[in-house]
């Protein structure tokens, strides 16, 4: 369980660092989406039950919340596309709750 929280902490530190360095919105979202795809790959049933499967399940669920958090922060700080970002963030939260019931 420590490894999973360590990986999530590194991801959160990267997101905080990206806000301090004023990285673009695409950089933050693409990094989260790449990690979502990797965690989805770990969850596939072609792999035996291992620490990677547990890491994939843990991250797949938590990364949806981080994605929604980034979208809400961007909608608050930026004036353009505010409605679209809020709608996508709400959809991301709905997907999270759906995944929460499935996992």
């Amino acid at each position: 369980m420590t490894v999973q929280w360590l990986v999530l902490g590194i991801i959160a530190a990267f997101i905080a660092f990206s806000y301090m360095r004023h990285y673009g919105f695409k950089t933050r979202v693409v990094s989260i989406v790449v990690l979502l795809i990797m965690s989805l790959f770990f969850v596939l049933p072609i792999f035996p039950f291992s620490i990677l499967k547990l890491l994939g399940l843990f991250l797949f669920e938590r990364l949806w919340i981080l994605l929604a958090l980034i979208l809400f922060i961007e909608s608050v700080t930026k004036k353009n596309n505010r409605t679209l970002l809020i709608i996508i963030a709400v959809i991301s939260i709905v997907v999270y709750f759906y995944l929460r019931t499935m996992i």
Side-chain angles (χ1 to χ4, degrees):
M1 192 70 172
T2 306
V3 173
Q4 297 159 343
W5 283 103
L6 181 70
V7 171
L8 189 64
I10 290 171
I11 294 167
F14 170 73
I15 292 171
F17 181 74
S18 70
Y19 276 108
M20 289 181 354
R21 290 288 189 178
H22 302 290
Y23 288 165
F25 172 68
K26 288 182 183 178
T27 305
R28 288 187 275 272
V29 171
V30 166
S31 65
I32 294 292
V33 169
V34 166
L35 290 171
L36 275 169
I37 291 171
M38 280 181 23
S39 65
L40 181 64
F41 182 71
F42 288 151
V43 175
L44 290 175
I46 58 174
F47 295 114
F49 189 75
S50 65
I51 189 70
L52 289 178
K53 186 170 284 249
L54 290 174
L55 181 66
L57 287 170
F58 180 80
L59 287 179
F60 193 70
E61 184 179 340
R62 301 303 191 281
L63 288 175
W64 280 107
I65 291 295
L66 282 176
L67 180 63
L69 182 67
I70 288 172
L71 291 171
F72 277 127
I73 289 172
E74 289 294 323
S75 68
V76 169
T77 59
K78 303 236 183 206
K79 299 253 185 217
N80 56 350
N81 296 332
R82 182 174 287 179
T83 307
L84 180 66
L85 289 174
I86 290 173
I87 290 171
I88 293 173
V90 169
I91 289 172
S92 180
I93 289 176
V94 168
V95 168
Y96 165 74
F97 284 123
Y98 176 73
L99 290 172
R100 185 81 173 154
T101 60
M102 296 305 288
I103 296 175

